[in-house]
Amino acid sequence: MANLLRLNSRYTLRRQLLLWVIIPMFVLIPLDTTILYKVGIHFVNQSFDDSLEDMANDVIAMIKESGKNPESFRMSDETEGVLFSNQYDKTYYAIYNSSTAFLSGNLKLPLKVRHASKSKCFKHAEINHQRVRMLTLKSTYQDNAHQSHPYFVVIAETLNKRSNLHNRILLAIILPQLMLMLVCGAMLFWGVTQGLAPLNELNDEISKRSSTQLDPVMLKNVPEEAMVLIKSINLLMGRLRNAILAQNQFIADAAHQLRTPIAGIQAQVELALKQESSQRPLSMIGDSVFKLTHLVNQLLRLSHNQPEAANLIELKPVDLLALAQDSCVEVIHFALRKNIDLGFESHAYHAIPDFEIVGDKSRLKVMLLNLLDNAIRYTPNGGRVTLLLTELENTIELRVEDNGIGIPEAERDMVFERFHRVIDNSQEGSGLGLSIVKEVIALHGASINIESAANASGTVIIVRLRKKV
């Protein structure tokens, strides 16, 4: 119980469901934020790069419109101020010839040969200890001999605008995502709580019940997943109700059966007290006590072989042949009193007989004794009872055959019920023998059948048990 309480204190279904949803959400939302940020700054950088390219194209257009070659072209301060005016960033330009020699511009920008080999090249660089975005754009001009010569226009711009816009994009993405996480977390908590409400209702319904209230649980608006649990609980309730009814019926039947020998003992004691010669009453008292003892022993055996005892049973290898022989020896005196021919036979399937099974030796012996006792009890004086063991390939068949009164086919299913006795039977018994046999059979996973004897007079009870693997 203490372990169960500790388990409940650190594990709840609500917590587990929230963890299963929130942990992936905390992974996916940062990932989504990163992707959105990367996509956003890509398009922002693309826009600024396009602006740099437009500036470089403007410089090339001015060179062409001036009618001068790049070596002699000079941009006025006014034009430079209009073209590169920017309140956030500083913009630099430079013009280089085909040999990457500086021609003109407001600053000598770094130009490497590998960059000059491309028609257009964007890269990051550092100018005056500041990071810049730099574009190298290749163009051509024609000299007086109408020959084309390449030259390069380099535009560089600091990154203030880009950084500011990057930060604003990041902030614009993170804040909604944080709000989304909070809202989703609250909605998830509310949703899980509402989803688990039927379980709380079921808990309230079960906890309010008394030990005698075993009727089915009835709840409305229950989801299918919880309905499966409710159906299982209702099935358990039904089994408990049937078990309690059976137990009450068993107690009532046992009390009824015990009342008869006890009343007989009391009557015989009173009669013995009144008579001078008490030999016969005392003998009758002895018979009653014997019957009462037999009934009590049968009740104890039945209780020890209930299905609930399956967890307590200890299965070990058992030699069924030796056990059957011992059982015959124990009931031989009962057979001799009725002049009954008690026989025992065995047939082996293999050259080396193997009658070993896995079971509980004491319970199996109780089963054998009850089968033999039942057969002898209901076989008339001078009759015959045979116990036959047959080794088959995977099972061992145990047959108890008699030539007694027999069991009508209509009653063969009922003889395994407690205190049931065959109609028109004059023999006294507890009516528990076959009930005990059935319980032992169930504990060992075996099977039992009742058939008529070959001569249609008497009964054959067949038990099949699995051999030891």
Side-chain angles (χ1 to χ4, degrees), residues 9 11 21-22 35 54 71 94 147 159 213-214 240 271 277 291 358 375 440 445 464:
S9 65
Y11 175 85
V21 177
I22 289 177
I35 293 174
D54 289 340
E71 286 84 353
Q147 292 182 348
L159 304 177
Q213 190 178 359
L214 298 175
L240 286 174
L271 181 61
S277 176
K291 294 175 184 177
V358 176
V440 175
R464 292 182 177 89

Side-chain angles (χ1 to χ4, degrees), residues 59-79:
V59 173
I60 292 172
M62 284 189 291
I63 293 174
K64 291 181 179 180
E65 290 175 0
S66 67
K68 299 178 180 179
N69 57 42
E71 286 84 353
S72 58
F73 173 78
R74 296 293 182 272
M75 187 184 301
S76 64
D77 294 339
E78 293 80 5
T79 303

Side-chain angles (χ1 to χ4, degrees), residues 356-373:
E356 194 172 66
I357 65 171
V358 176
D360 184 277
K361 185 175 181 179
S362 61
R363 286 178 168 85
L364 289 171
K365 189 168 185 178
V366 167
M367 177 195 71
L368 286 166
L369 290 175
N370 275 281
L371 288 174
L372 292 171
D373 178 84

Side-chain angles (χ1 to χ4, degrees), residues 38-52:
K38 292 292 185 182
V39 172
I41 63 173
H42 168 75
F43 286 109
V44 167
N45 290 335
Q46 185 67 45
S47 176
F48 283 121
D49 287 346
D50 291 341
S51 177
L52 283 180

Side-chain angles (χ1 to χ4, degrees), residues 90 173 256:
K90 290 183 179 181
I173 293 175
H256 176 74

Side-chain angles (χ1 to χ4, degrees), residues 93-289:
Y93 85 98
I95 301 173
Y96 294 85
N97 61 16
S98 58
S99 301
T100 67
F102 179 74
L103 301 178
S104 64
N106 56 10
L107 188 66
K108 287 186 177 182
L109 302 177
L111 178 64
K112 296 182 179 180
V113 176
R114 68 173 183 273
H115 297 145
S117 63
K118 302 177 183 178
S119 61
K120 179 171 64 176
C121 177
F122 285 98
K123 68 167 188 171
H124 284 90
E126 187 172 324
I127 299 175
N128 297 332
H129 306 292
Q130 284 186 308
R131 292 274 295 169
V132 297
R133 180 69 167 172
M134 190 169 69
L135 165 65
T136 301
L137 189 63
K138 184 178 181 180
S139 185
T140 59
Y141 73 94
Q142 292 183 343
D143 57 12
N144 294 332
H146 300 288
Q147 292 182 348
S148 295
H149 300 279
Y151 68 96
F152 303 94
V153 175
V154 182
I155 304 292
E157 185 181 59
T158 57
L159 304 177
N160 295 330
K161 283 187 300 184
R162 297 177 186 241
S163 298
N164 290 336
L165 195 52
H166 291 175
N167 293 335
R168 289 168 62 186
I169 290 173
L170 183 61
L171 188 62
I173 293 175
I174 287 179
L175 287 179
Q177 296 286 10
L178 289 175
M179 291 297 297
L180 178 64
M181 291 176 68
L182 293 175
V183 172
C184 286
M187 292 180 65
L188 283 171
F189 184 82
W190 180 83
V192 169
T193 301
Q194 292 299 113
L196 295 177
L199 295 181
N200 295 328
E201 293 179 17
L202 178 61
N203 177 65
D204 295 339
E205 174 69 18
I206 298 297
S207 62
K208 290 187 297 185
R209 293 190 170 213
S210 64
S211 58
T212 59
Q213 190 178 359
L214 298 175
D215 51 298
V217 178
M218 303 297 294
L219 293 178
K220 298 180 179 179
N221 302 323
V222 177
E224 186 173 351
E225 292 79 4
M227 185 57 71
V228 174
L229 177 60
I230 292 176
K231 288 180 179 178
S232 299
I233 291 176
N234 287 339
L235 287 174
L236 178 60
M237 292 285 193
R239 288 196 291 267
L240 286 174
R241 184 170 58 253
N242 293 336
I244 291 175
L245 290 175
Q247 193 73 19
N248 292 337
Q249 184 64 38
F250 173 75
I251 293 173
D253 291 342
H256 176 74
Q257 294 293 327
L258 290 170
R259 187 184 297 120
T260 301
I262 291 174
I265 292 172
Q266 184 178 2
Q268 296 302 324
V269 169
E270 292 176 355
L271 181 61
L273 292 174
K274 293 178 181 179
Q275 294 182 0
E276 294 181 1
S277 176
S278 58
Q279 185 67 32
R280 177 173 173 77
L282 288 176
S283 176
M284 296 177 67
I285 290 174
D287 291 340
S288 296
V289 170

